[in-house]
Amino acid sequence: MLYDTLIRNALIIDGSNTPGYQADVAIRDGRIERIGDLSDATATEEIDAAGRVLAPGFIDVHTHDDTVVIRQPEMLPKLSQGVTTVIVGNCGISASPVTLKGDPPDPMNLLGTAAAFVYPRFSDYRAAVEAANTTLNVAALIGHTALRSNHLDDLFRTATPDEIAAMREQLRESLEDGALGLSTGLAYASAYNASTDEVMQLTEELTAFGAVYTTHLRSEFAPVLEAMDEAFKIGRHAQSPVIISHLKCAGVGNWGRSPQLLASLEEAAKTHPVGCDCYPYAASSSTLDLKQVTDAHRITITWSTPHPQVSGRDLIDIAAEWNLPLLDAAKRLQPAGAVYYGMDEADVRRILAHPLSMVGSDGLPEDPFPHPRLWGAFPRVLGHFSRDVGLFPLHTAVHKMTGLSAARFGLKERGEIREGYWADLVLFDPATVRDVADFNDPQRPAQGIDGVWINGVLSYRDGQANGRREGRFLAREGDLREGFH
């Protein structure tokens, strides 16, 4: 038997949250065919992985890669950190189903200009991902704000019964075509005025499919517990799993409240399938939101349509140069993007370490001066938080980025190293793996990632992408509630 690839002498950390073991792995026809002592086997390509960890490819559960996977299918920021699957359509914003009447409303502009929104149906988007021959696997949520922008003439109110019926129809059609579920971004002005009832009615479409409800909460500031209660209420109404996006204690007045948030999550989990994702940094990044402008912590402008020259500068310095109050300077910069240094490191660590949390980057690929999470989130968990800080063992770090994520989103035969599973794999050096991207120089690939295989094909090796693009569109499979047991 001649295999396609043999990876020998690896420390296998299989994604199941158990310690690693030494073995060889044989790949054939895109799948893991054998694991064990394969000293008498042969393959077209053999790799000696002595001293290296072989893990499942990382699943980035929180991305805004919806249009970039098609327009820039090499996906180097993710591939270079060992990511093999991205979940798009988060925070209520998705590339489909969308029919724009003008420019994309904030925050849909995070996905690109109007020219990027050319998918009136989810099936059009799915076909475009398949045709783009992208490097990574792609699975997709449907954005609530996207649906609202299709059917409401005014985003600053709740929807009428007729508008809700039209949104439900589009959501149902998308779920039939393989979407994972519905995402909301209720903190954003374009969805903030949507009533809880509007969202509950939409999520009724999820019930029959066993699809998921993910949410950027209505607030991550003082009313965060009330916002979590709203999310759980919506999920229970729909009998749908709930995933809270980038769970955090935002704003200086909220620092130290992570035990309350995690207690609320645990309480809900006793009777309902819930979880959360988080990114491993104490700074957030999004569009420039006037409600978040403050002098209590640093704010860096990442892009500005009217003033592109300020990219990478702090709001306080721009305001001083213009001799304006912070808020007036922010208004002059809009539309714009920003990094907000508004979290406490202890809260970040507590949430990251919790058994119900997965890792997502929340990276913004359109940003000319992005938050370093776009290039560094996953190696930062492995290197900084697991190895250097000792927040959790390496096998737990890997589980939060692979097996747990695949179970939550129903990505069948992925997320673990098992015989018969798809060969989405990453080979890394546990002693040197680290994020190199930082807030001053954010677009730098990680160190210590030696190889990345997607569907059995080596696509990244020793710091270089090789142009192989074997990613697939991953349609929803089965009832996602089953992955929470």
Side-chain angles (χ1 to χ4, degrees):
M1 162 76 71
L2 182 69
Y3 296 107
D4 298 331
T5 306
L6 261 174
I7 304 168
R8 298 194 183 277
N9 308 314
L11 175 63
I12 295 178
I13 296 185
D14 67 8
S16 68
N17 203 17
T18 51
Y21 61 93
Q22 293 289 142
D24 310 329
V25 171
I27 301 169
R28 201 159 75 96
D29 296 335
R31 292 185 183 264
I32 298 164
E33 190 145 309
R34 280 180 68 200
I35 304 167
D37 178 359
L38 309 179
S39 46
D40 43 4
T42 55
T44 306
E45 180 170 37
E46 299 199 14
I47 290 171
D48 182 4
R52 301 291 192 266
V53 166
L54 186 68
F58 305 135
I59 297 166
D60 192 345
V61 296
H62 193 104
T63 84
H64 297 287
D65 294 335
D66 305 48
T67 64
V68 81
V69 291
I70 296 165
R71 292 180 291 119
Q72 297 169 23
E74 57 281 1
M75 292 299 292
L76 193 61
K78 298 297 171 71
L79 179 66
S80 63
Q81 53 181 314
V83 170
T84 56
T85 298
V86 292
I87 293 177
V88 304
N90 285 281
C91 297
I93 55 179
S94 57
S96 73
V98 172
T99 309
L100 291 178
K101 303 170 187 74
D103 287 331
D106 184 300
M108 286 173 63
N109 52 7
L110 289 174
L111 303 184
T113 62
F117 291 88
V118 291
Y119 315 107
R121 297 170 307 174
F122 183 70
S123 56
D124 300 324
Y125 177 74
R126 178 177 177 171
V129 170
E130 289 168 343
N133 196 24
T134 188
T135 306
L136 307 183
N137 300 312
V138 180
L141 296 155
I142 301 302
H144 170 229
T145 300
L147 296 174
R148 282 172 66 81
S149 101
N150 293 341
H151 298 289
L152 275 68
D153 55 6
D154 172 11
L155 296 176
F156 304 102
R157 60 171 173 80
T158 200
T160 66
D162 286 352
E163 289 162 345
I164 291 172
M167 289 193 282
R168 286 182 68 153
E169 191 175 336
Q170 276 198 310
L171 176 58
R172 181 166 60 247
E173 189 177 90
S174 303
L175 292 166
E176 285 167 353
D177 286 326
L180 294 170
L182 177 72
S183 78
T184 56
L186 299 174
Y188 291 104
S190 47
Y192 186 77
N193 292 304
S195 66
T196 305
D197 186 61
E198 173 184 321
V199 183
M200 280 167 56
Q201 288 189 58
L202 286 180
T203 59
E204 288 169 7
E205 296 298 335
L206 304 176
T207 314
F209 295 93
V212 72
Y213 174 62
T214 77
T215 179
H216 177 150
L217 295 169
R218 205 177 281 274
S219 177
E220 297 173 329
F221 292 83
V224 61
L225 287 174
E226 292 83 349
M228 291 176 72
D229 287 344
E230 178 190 37
F232 301 144
K233 177 183 179 182
I234 291 166
R236 286 192 295 266
H237 177 76
Q239 298 161 37
S240 170
V242 177
I243 292 171
I244 294 176
S245 297
H246 42 59
L247 184 63
K248 64 171 81 75
C249 302
V252 175
N254 246 5
W255 288 6
R257 291 185 68 197
S258 52
Q260 291 176 268
L261 273 61
L262 293 168
S264 169
L265 195 69
E266 288 171 13
E267 187 61 30
K270 289 176 184 173
T271 56
H272 193 78
V274 304
C276 69
D277 67 61
C278 62
Y279 46 80
Y281 299 86
S284 62
S285 179
S286 187
T287 50
L288 179 59
D289 175 10
L290 299 179
K291 287 190 302 203
Q292 292 190 52
V293 171
T294 177
D295 58 5
H297 57 74
R298 186 179 166 204
I299 299 173
T300 304
I301 302 302
T302 57
W303 59 272
S304 165
T305 301
H307 300 280
Q309 72 279 5
V310 304
S311 173
R313 293 185 60 197
D314 283 3
L315 178 60
I316 197 165
D317 297 335
I318 298 165
E321 184 179 299
W322 290 351
N323 198 22
L324 288 175
L326 278 185
L327 197 60
D328 292 350
K331 286 175 184 169
R332 188 186 281 190
L333 289 165
Q334 284 184 314
V339 169
Y340 306 89
Y341 295 82
M343 288 180 266
D344 179 57
E345 180 71 21
D347 287 321
V348 173
R349 292 184 182 191
R350 215 173 271 124
I351 292 167
L352 184 62
H354 195 275
L356 288 173
S357 73
M358 302 172 280
V359 175
S361 73
D362 197 16
L364 302 176
E366 291 295 314
D367 224 320
F369 192 83
H371 188 302
R373 62 195 182 187
L374 179 68
W375 288 81
F378 292 83
R380 183 170 176 79
V381 174
L382 299 171
H384 177 68
F385 282 109
S386 177
R387 181 188 62 229
D388 301 343
V389 174
L391 191 60
F392 32 58
L394 187 57
H395 62 263
T396 299
V398 168
H399 174 65
K400 287 178 164 291
M401 312 193 299
T402 59
L404 181 62
S405 313
R408 293 290 191 254
F409 285 97
L411 306 178
K412 297 286 195 291
E413 299 178 339
R414 297 184 194 271
E416 293 190 18
I417 296 180
R418 287 202 214 180
E419 291 181 356
Y421 274 40
W422 289 101
D424 292 343
L425 301 166
V426 56
L427 187 69
F428 65 88
D429 184 340
T432 64
V433 66
R434 71 181 190 98
D435 57 313
V436 182
D438 61 28
F439 288 99
N440 297 316
D441 190 1
Q443 303 190 59
R444 298 171 69 193
Q447 286 180 359
I449 303 288
D450 296 327
V452 183
W453 288 261
I454 297 167
N455 297 308
V457 175
L458 183 62
S459 305
Y460 185 84
R461 186 170 190 177
D462 301 329
Q464 296 292 319
N466 60 16
R468 298 294 299 274
R469 298 189 347 215
E470 299 294 330
R472 306 192 176 177
F473 183 87
L474 305 183
R476 189 194 68 260
E477 287 187 76
D479 189 326
L480 302 194
R481 289 169 284 218
E482 292 170 4
F484 286 77
H485 298 313

